[in-house]
Amino acid sequence: MSATPTRQLALQGAAVILVLSLAWPYFGWTAQAMPWLETSLAIGGVALLFATLSRQPWWWRLIHLTFMPLVWATNTLAIDPSWFLLAFVLLLLVYRGALSGQVPLYLSNKATVAELAKLLGERGPSRFLDLGAGLGSTTVPLADLLPDSHFTGYENAPLTWLVGRLLSLGRPNIRWRWDDLWQAPLGEFDVVYAFLSPVPMPALWQKAKAEMQPGSLFISNSFPVPGEVPSQVIEVDCTPPRPLYCYQI
């Protein structure tokens, strides 16, 4: 079983159903109040078992183990529900990509920008596309360093798009788009850069091969294309390591 959010929800839901289907009849028959702390711990243990049997990554196992106990602990604090709604809205505004496409918000560091600037400088004036551009941590400094090149950023999380849009103001060589990265016409660009996650890489590579022009360059930060040998790997001097996998089309 793969580690998609829907399947993780199914694992947690199965654990809840199994534990409650046993606990409710027992405590109802004995006329005792449900011990919610112990019940939440039992649900966490069963969810951990299901996650282990289905070979989920270790962080998902930890989430399954602690999710229901944390729900119980939070409930005991009697926090106003409006705060949870506000937190959800803010998370959605910033991390929409993680929910819709398993693409979290990653920010490229200065060392990565320096390596990209060096690479683009060697290629000459370019049309550069940043897929999942976030706050503009790649696009904005590159536009300042390479005024003869043109840069486009695609971002679909509203709040991060807004921040990136504000940061890109006054730079005529930047086009900032609020759009789904899968809608980007890759054939219009010489260099396409992505700092996403391992999940979308196979499909994105197929899109790149189908749309990008011969001689153009596809660059993935940190996450190689499965089964493909990059034409170049740039080791960025930073911690943690953030290699740039370059694929010539």
Side-chain angles (χ1 to χ4, degrees):
M1 180 181 287
S2 62
T4 63
T6 301
R7 291 196 170 106
Q8 302 308 323
L9 183 61
L11 287 175
Q12 189 69 215
V16 171
I17 292 172
L18 177 60
V19 172
L20 292 184
S21 66
L22 297 174
W24 256 325
Y26 172 79
F27 288 103
W29 181 264
T30 58
Q32 300 180 56
M34 179 82 77
W36 287 108
L37 172 58
E38 291 78 3
T39 302
S40 66
L41 292 173
I43 292 173
V46 173
L48 172 63
L49 175 63
F50 287 167
T52 302
L53 292 176
S54 58
R55 299 180 180 179
Q56 300 304 311
W58 68 267
W59 60 87
W60 274 118
R61 300 183 194 186
L62 180 62
I63 291 172
H64 282 297
L65 174 64
T66 60
F67 180 74
M68 286 307 297
L70 287 175
V71 169
W72 173 86
T74 303
N75 183 65
T76 62
L77 299 176
I79 300 174
D80 190 320
S82 59
W83 287 107
F84 293 103
L85 177 60
L86 177 61
F88 173 76
V89 171
L90 290 175
L91 288 172
L92 184 62
L93 291 174
V94 176
Y95 294 103
R96 178 185 172 188
L99 180 63
S100 61
Q102 299 186 68
V103 178
L105 175 63
Y106 289 121
L107 302 179
S108 298
N109 55 38
K110 292 181 179 180
T112 297
V113 171
E115 291 293 345
L116 288 171
K118 179 181 177 181
L119 180 62
L120 293 177
E122 294 171 352
R123 293 177 64 90
S126 303
R127 293 165 297 166
F128 180 96
L129 172 63
D130 187 355
L131 294 173
L135 304 175
S137 59
T138 301
T139 307
V140 172
L142 283 179
D144 290 338
L145 292 169
L146 302 166
D148 293 333
S149 292
H150 190 273
F151 299 87
T152 300
Y154 269 61
E155 175 59 41
N156 74 342
L159 190 55
T160 51
W161 171 86
L162 178 60
V163 173
R165 180 70 183 93
L166 293 174
L167 292 175
S168 66
L169 291 176
R171 295 173 171 85
N173 59 336
I174 292 182
R175 182 177 62 155
W176 199 254
R177 292 287 304 272
W178 181 13
D179 208 341
D180 185 353
L181 64 87
W182 299 105
Q183 304 303 316
L186 304 188
E188 298 179 3
F189 303 94
D190 306 314
V191 180
V192 174
Y193 171 77
F195 189 9
L196 304 176
S197 79
V199 176
M201 293 311 299
L204 183 57
W205 176 241
Q206 294 303 315
K207 178 178 172 64
K209 290 195 299 181
E211 298 180 16
M212 294 179 68
Q213 300 298 317
S216 56
L217 187 65
F218 176 76
I219 305 173
S220 176
N221 188 330
S222 302
F223 308 111
V225 176
E228 296 290 333
V229 178
S231 54
Q232 181 184 7
V233 178
I234 300 175
E235 298 294 344
V236 179
D237 185 15
C238 63
T239 303
R242 294 295 187 195
L244 299 174
Y245 297 94
C246 305
Y247 301 87
Q248 191 79 32
I249 303 298

